Amino acid sequence: MGIESAEPGTVRPGGRTARVRAAVLEAAGDALAEQGFARLDLADIARRADVGKTTVYRRWGTVAGLVADLLSDMAEQSLPRTETGSLLEDLKANASLVRRTLSDRRQGALFKAVIAAATTDARTAEALHRFYEIRIAEWAPCVQQAVERGELPADTDGHEVIRAVSAPLYYRLLTSAAPLDEAAAERAAEAAAAAARAGCYRSTAGSGA
Amino acid sequence: MGIESAEPGTVRPGGRTARVRAAVLEAAGDALAEQGFARLDLADIARRADVGKTTVYRRWGTVAGLVADLLSDMAEQSLPRTETGSLLEDLKANASLVRRTLSDRRQGALFKAVIAAATTDARTAEALHRFYEIRIAEWAPCVQQAVERGELPADTDGHEVIRAVSAPLYYRLLTSAAPLDEAAAERAAEAAAAAARAGCYRSTAGSGA
């Protein structure tokens, strides 16, 4: 059942546009996960979404433009952070979310495809960087809260701590055949918390520690 | 000046074969860095290396086979680890080596290209995983030495500590536009050392810490 088959007059102003976007982005995500970036084709995505080809070309223009919009939507749709009252538990919640996303069949393939595309396509790289900035900024306040609770040095860089949680999971995904299990997620959270407590992510750091 | 122009009779047995391999792998690395995996072409690589096309097809068969051999050669050619007598200094040497490799124009592009290719090509993925296993195993003994010096818990997993040094550098390379500077390398080494000291990489760990 495609978007364009919605009965005329039953949709709020703006509703149809939003639903066309949702259908096209979902189809783009499916195609990316199945085929990778290099084989993406706007006409094929329009067919999958049951949306007119002209609409897709007019609205997104290029494959890179569509993928950039997909990443922007993924950032908007992502889950809000968890607040547990403890740095370690907050970081474990973050690590577990990243792990579940990357080990999900469709989502994992989609992230791999976009990261691969970003190595050659500047617009996709920019959209991917923006996606991570938004996600990191969503979680960074849990570090600030830990600072306020006295768990961490005052000048701890929250963005660096959150990046440190993700890094080993992405590294494992891209450079090894090892499974992304919960033990890996826990270890990533524990290591980031321990290094943060040791002062490694202080914004004035760079030696010592 | 190409390999095939070496005067007959001037080369040791085995020497010509080794030099053909070196020339073809260098040309393959150049092509990967410039164009990415998807545009690699054995005939073009043979031309760049000034080696007969038939030789390249006979010896490597496919682009994936050639890239796998390139990765195997890169693992063999990589620098041996540094031994400084201190865990933190050893890890800093490792981080600095990884950083220099990834920020080198040709090498950085080459690694990005191979990581991207590994997301879709199983043979390249296997060769890439093997490359990292070899490099991690080269450096892991510095962790064992730190254990023997009493710097770290006895059951610290050296491979995990070395992976923890690389992870933030690869994550930064692939997900952000931030430069891979020496401060990032130092921070990666310090964080891995701090987490290792806190027991996060004990092979029996998974909770606590």
Side-chain angles (χ1 to χ4, degrees):
Chain A
M1 171 111 171
I3 281 303
E4 305 228 310
S5 58
E7 261 180 71
T10 62
V11 180
R12 288 190 313 280
R16 188 181 167 284
T17 301
R19 288 202 289 162
V20 164
R21 179 177 180 232
V24 170
L25 295 186
E26 191 183 343
D30 291 346
L32 256 177
E34 287 165 28
Q35 308 168 343
F37 184 85
R39 292 195 204 152
L40 283 195
D41 173 66
L42 290 189
D44 169 55
I45 290 166
R47 255 192 312 276
R48 284 172 181 254
D50 201 2
V51 163
K53 209 164 65 172
T54 322
T55 305
V56 173
Y57 279 102
R58 198 175 48 225
R59 174 142 184 194
W60 288 280
T62 62
V63 159
L66 177 53
V67 171
D69 194 35
L70 172 63
L71 282 162
S72 145
D73 184 61
M74 283 163 62
E76 282 161 30
Q77 302 293 328
S78 292
L79 292 173
R81 72 189 170 94
T82 309
E83 291 192 57
T84 65
S86 132
L87 175 71
L88 183 56
E89 294 308 317
D90 284 359
L91 297 186
K92 280 187 182 176
N94 177 251
S96 182
L97 176 61
V98 170
R99 183 198 85 76
R100 288 196 309 275
T101 302
L102 296 182
S103 31
D104 176 79
R105 207 161 164 278
R106 178 180 183 274
Q107 292 275 92
L110 201 163
F111 272 94
K112 279 186 172 185
V114 176
I115 290 169
T119 65
T120 55
D121 184 81
R123 181 155 182 200
T124 301
E126 204 179 297
L128 187 70
H129 299 166
R130 182 87 192 112
F131 170 84
Y132 287 111
E133 276 166 23
I134 292 169
R135 293 306 296 155
I136 302 292
E138 165 68 22
W139 282 82
C142 80
V143 176
Q144 187 50 41
Q145 290 172 342
V147 167
E148 283 156 18
R149 284 191 303 265
E151 287 192 63
L152 295 177
D155 55 350
T156 302
D157 179 337
H159 289 69
E160 273 300 296
V161 176
I162 301 301
R163 284 190 201 104
V165 174
S166 275
L169 302 174
Y170 278 85
Y171 183 74
R172 183 183 280 233
L173 176 76
L174 295 167
T175 72
S176 83
L180 273 173
D181 50 21
E182 270 302 312
E186 285 209 0
R187 176 169 277 187
E190 286 165 1
R197 284 191 292 258
C200 298
Y201 302 117
R202 292 172 61 193
S203 44
T204 49
S207 64
Chain B
M1 171 110 174
I3 281 301
E4 304 228 311
S5 57
E7 261 180 68
T10 61
V11 181
R12 289 188 313 282
R16 188 179 168 285
T17 301
R19 289 203 288 162
V20 164
R21 181 178 180 231
V24 170
L25 294 186
E26 190 182 343
D30 290 346
L32 256 177
E34 287 164 28
Q35 307 168 346
F37 184 85
R39 292 195 204 153
L40 284 194
D41 173 67
L42 290 188
D44 170 56
I45 290 166
R47 257 191 312 275
R48 283 171 182 255
D50 202 2
V51 164
K53 209 164 64 173
T54 322
T55 304
V56 174
Y57 280 101
R58 199 173 50 226
R59 177 144 183 193
W60 287 280
T62 61
V63 159
L66 177 53
V67 171
D69 194 36
L70 172 64
L71 282 162
S72 146
D73 184 63
M74 283 163 63
E76 283 161 28
Q77 304 292 329
S78 291
L79 292 173
R81 72 188 169 95
T82 310
E83 291 192 57
T84 66
S86 132
L87 176 70
L88 183 56
E89 293 309 316
D90 285 359
L91 297 187
K92 280 186 183 176
N94 177 252
S96 181
L97 176 61
V98 171
R99 183 198 84 77
R100 287 197 309 276
T101 302
L102 296 182
S103 30
D104 175 80
R105 204 159 167 281
R106 177 179 183 275
Q107 293 275 93
L110 202 163
F111 271 94
K112 279 186 171 184
V114 177
I115 290 169
T119 64
T120 55
D121 185 82
R123 183 158 182 196
T124 302
E126 206 178 296
L128 187 70
H129 300 166
R130 181 86 193 113
F131 169 83
Y132 287 111
E133 277 167 22
I134 292 169
R135 292 308 295 156
I136 302 292
E138 166 67 23
W139 282 83
C142 79
V143 176
Q144 187 49 42
Q145 291 172 341
V147 168
E148 284 156 17
R149 286 191 304 264
E151 285 191 64
L152 294 177
D155 55 351
T156 301
D157 179 339
H159 290 69
E160 274 299 298
V161 177
I162 302 302
R163 285 190 199 103
V165 175
S166 276
L169 302 174
Y170 278 85
Y171 183 73
R172 185 185 278 234
L173 176 76
L174 295 166
T175 71
S176 82
L180 274 172
D181 51 21
E182 270 302 312
E186 285 211 0
R187 176 168 276 188
E190 287 165 1
R197 284 193 292 257
C200 298
Y201 302 117
R202 292 173 61 192
S203 45
T204 49
S207 64

